[in-house]
Amino acid sequence: MPSIPEKVHELTVGQLAARSGAAVSALHFYEAKGLISSRRTAGNQRRYSRDTLRRVAFVRAAQRVGIPLATIREALAELPEGRTPTREDWARLSEKWRSELDERIRQLNRLRDHLTDCIGCGCLSLDSCVLSNPDDMFGDRLTGSRLMAERAKRP
C-alpha cells in the first residue's frame, strides 16, 4: 500500500483508490451519488482531502453489511458541516440500522427455509408461493400464474 507523506493534504483519485482499496470507477460513482466530494484543479483533475479515506472506509463498511447507498448518503448528510464520520458516528448509525438488518436476516432465513418447497413446484405459481406471494397476501384476489401476469401489466 503506497504511503502518503503527512505534508500532502490532498489525494489524486489514483492515490485514493490505492489507499482505500476501492476502484477508481467506484470512487467516481460514490462522488456522483454524493457520498464523497472533490475539488478540481486548474487542469480539471480531481483532488480529495485526506479525510475522504475515512469516508470511503465508512461507505464500504456500511455496504458490506447491506446498507443501501441512499441510506448511507442520508446518514452522511446528517453529520454537521459534512464532516467525516467518527467511531461514535458509526456506533450511533449502526445501532439505528440494526433493526433493518435483523428484519432482512429474518426474511432471508424464511426464504431459505421455504426454498425447497418452491423448487419442488418449479413454476412459481403455487397459491401461496413464499417467493411471489408471501403469506398468501394475494390469495383473496388471484392465484397461480395469473398473479405473475397481473404483476407484469402494472406500470
Side-chain angles (χ1 to χ4, degrees):
M1 179 180 314
S3 64
I4 300 169
E6 285 295 320
K7 65 182 177 184
V8 175
H9 297 290
E10 291 185 319
L11 309 172
T12 65
V13 70
Q15 289 171 322
L16 183 60
R19 290 288 308 273
S20 68
V24 169
S25 59
L27 296 173
H28 290 172
F29 180 75
Y30 291 164
E31 190 168 357
K33 295 297 182 184
L35 299 166
I36 61 174
S37 62
S38 67
R39 74 167 186 86
R40 297 290 183 139
T41 66
N44 202 30
Q45 295 175 336
R46 289 178 169 96
R47 293 293 184 263
Y48 298 90
S49 63
R50 286 179 72 94
D51 67 335
T52 305
L53 278 168
R54 182 177 296 231
R55 214 170 164 88
V56 170
F58 179 91
V59 170
R60 294 185 77 198
Q63 281 186 293
R64 272 193 299 278
V65 297
I67 304 301
L69 286 179
T71 304
I72 298 168
R73 183 179 51 247
E74 290 169 7
L76 290 170
E78 292 175 9
L79 299 175
E81 299 173 13
R83 70 171 167 73
T84 299
T86 63
R87 183 176 302 208
E88 292 78 23
D89 294 324
W90 177 260
R92 179 177 46 80
L93 291 168
S94 63
E95 183 62 35
K96 190 169 144 181
W97 295 332
R98 183 175 299 275
S99 63
E100 180 182 332
L101 291 172
D102 287 342
E103 179 57 29
R104 279 197 223 156
I105 290 167
R106 277 191 294 281
Q107 289 173 351
L108 287 170
N109 282 332
R110 181 170 174 223
L111 175 62
R112 181 203 58 215
D113 294 345
H114 294 284
L115 190 57
T116 54
D117 296 338
C118 185
I119 291 171
C121 167
C123 70
L124 297 177
S125 64
L126 295 172
D127 288 344
S128 57
C129 176
V130 296
L131 292 178
S132 62
N133 190 13
D135 297 324
D136 195 20
M137 62 189 196
F138 296 107
D140 293 334
R141 285 191 312 126
L142 301 170
T143 60
S145 60
R146 291 175 41 212
L147 175 62
M148 301 302 279
E150 175 76 11
R151 282 186 176 171
K153 291 179 188 177
R154 290 186 194 153

